[in-house]
Amino acid sequence: MNNNLDNQNTGDRKTLLLGIIIMLIAATLFGTLGTLTNLAVQAGLSPVAFAMWRELLGTISLIILLAFGLGKSAKADRIPLSKIPKNQIRNLVFASLAFSAYSLAMFYAFVELSVALSPALT
């Protein structure tokens, strides 16, 4: 059986491995949200506050990653913010608001339901 990895060079394999590691870390962190939410609520933090802290840390992390251009092969490939069409910026804002509403609903569900049931219902 011919494997696609046989035809790839070492750089592609390193990129693939890095992608797999990042995905596993992200999945692990997402899997701990219910437990962290319950611990935060028991410590006196409201689900709204927890969701806002999560969104703030995520926003800061994304800004840092974008500022360093991680994920792009060359600086010439980057598109300046001023050249992004307005309708795409509008869509990004709507998507951000929708994800924030989803997160907030999920964190309230974590407090009210069993953590195992919450993601299935939100």
Side-chain angles (χ1 to χ4, degrees):
M1 181 173 198
N2 190 3
N3 189 348
N4 287 339
L5 288 178
D6 294 338
N7 299 329
Q8 293 179 339
N9 63 27
T10 307
D12 290 340
R13 287 180 184 209
K14 287 182 182 178
T15 303
L16 180 65
L17 181 61
L18 180 61
I20 290 170
I21 290 170
I22 290 171
M23 186 268 316
L24 289 173
I25 291 170
T28 302
L29 291 173
F30 186 77
T32 62
L33 278 178
T35 305
L36 290 177
T37 302
N38 284 336
L39 289 173
V41 169
Q42 289 174 1
L45 195 63
S46 74
V48 174
F50 188 78
M52 291 305 115
W53 276 108
R54 178 180 181 255
E55 300 301 325
L56 179 66
L57 290 174
T59 301
I60 291 169
S61 299
L62 280 176
I63 288 171
I64 291 170
L65 291 173
L66 291 172
F68 287 108
L70 296 177
K72 290 288 185 187
S73 58
K75 192 170 186 174
D77 292 337
R78 295 186 215 161
I79 300 171
L81 194 57
S82 61
K83 298 217 182 205
I84 297 175
K86 300 291 184 223
N87 65 338
Q88 289 184 6
I89 292 175
R90 181 198 67 221
N91 292 344
L92 181 62
V93 169
F94 286 149
S96 298
L97 292 173
F99 181 75
S100 295
Y102 164 77
S103 292
L104 189 57
M106 186 173 62
F107 290 131
Y108 270 112
F110 283 154
V111 174
E112 300 297 327
L113 300 169
S114 166
V115 172
L117 294 175
S118 298
L121 298 176
T122 57

